[in-house]
Amino acid sequence: MNTFICGKCGYAAFNEAPTVCPVCGAAKQAFKEDSAAIKKPIDPGNLNEMEKKHIPAIDIKRQCGLAGPGCVDAHIKIGSILHVMEAKHYIMYIDLYIDYNFIARYHLTAEKLNPVLGVHLKVPSGKLIALENCNIHGRWMAEVEI
Ligand SMILES: [Fe+2]
């Protein structure tokens, strides 16, 4: 699958570049194809320390009811070993996709926030993808079936 990165805000699009960036509004011309933009684990069954700190850990929760019946929650943290959040080294944002279609960006600041996110989803099934961007170590992605 081809990956296209927005040169303005870092948003990653899959398959093809969008006409307009859904995060910052940049035009299609701002996107560049970059198949190496997202880091993947070398051995998914045996993550090294760097991977444990950066690959989103997704936990699907069901039946919370906050947004009515059928509300599916996802708890996402970066990563299975919590990443540091300091001015020099932090997680800038977490982008979420359902079946590779963008649904939200969650901006983080180094101060006062943990690199975690809880969201309520209105979908009964599909593939939830979380992509995070570390200011030093780049983009890392994880996906789970809802
Ligand atoms: Fe990092």
Side-chain angles (χ1 to χ4, degrees):
M1 183 182 297
N2 290 339
T3 304
F4 296 85
I5 303 296
C6 175
K8 232 173 132 185
C9 72
Y11 165 74
F14 301 99
N15 289 325
E16 62 179 332
T19 307
V20 174
C21 176
V23 173
C24 73
K28 191 172 195 146
Q29 293 75 10
F31 282 79
K32 288 210 167 72
E33 203 280 327
D34 184 356
S35 57
I38 299 169
K39 295 181 179 71
K40 302 212 167 92
I42 297 160
D43 176 1
N46 186 23
L47 301 182
N48 63 37
E49 183 139 334
M50 181 70 94
E51 293 165 345
K52 286 178 182 171
K53 285 180 181 169
H54 290 93
I55 293 174
I58 305 172
D59 185 16
I60 300 295
K61 311 274 187 191
R62 297 189 181 278
Q63 298 175 336
C64 97
L66 182 64
C71 173
V72 174
D73 296 358
H75 289 179
I76 296 141
K77 65 179 194 175
I78 314 298
S80 53
I81 298 173
L82 214 56
H83 192 281
V84 295
M85 291 295 277
E86 299 166 347
K88 288 183 182 168
H89 185 195
Y90 69 104
I91 304 303
M92 300 165 67
Y93 57 79
I94 303 169
D95 283 349
L96 300 177
Y97 304 78
I98 299 284
D99 296 327
Y100 293 96
N101 298 305
F102 178 72
I103 56 170
R105 171 169 287 189
Y106 186 67
H107 286 279
L108 298 167
T109 53
E111 306 296 327
K112 298 182 176 59
L113 283 175
N114 288 311
V116 299
L117 167 63
V119 292
H120 297 265
L121 301 168
K122 233 168 63 174
V123 290
S125 62
K127 188 176 283 188
L128 174 66
I129 294 145
L131 189 161
E132 66 93 349
N133 193 0
C134 168
N135 71 321
I136 292 178
H137 301 109
R139 295 177 189 82
W140 302 71
M141 192 170 92
E143 54 188 60
V144 298
E145 289 295 334
I146 294 170

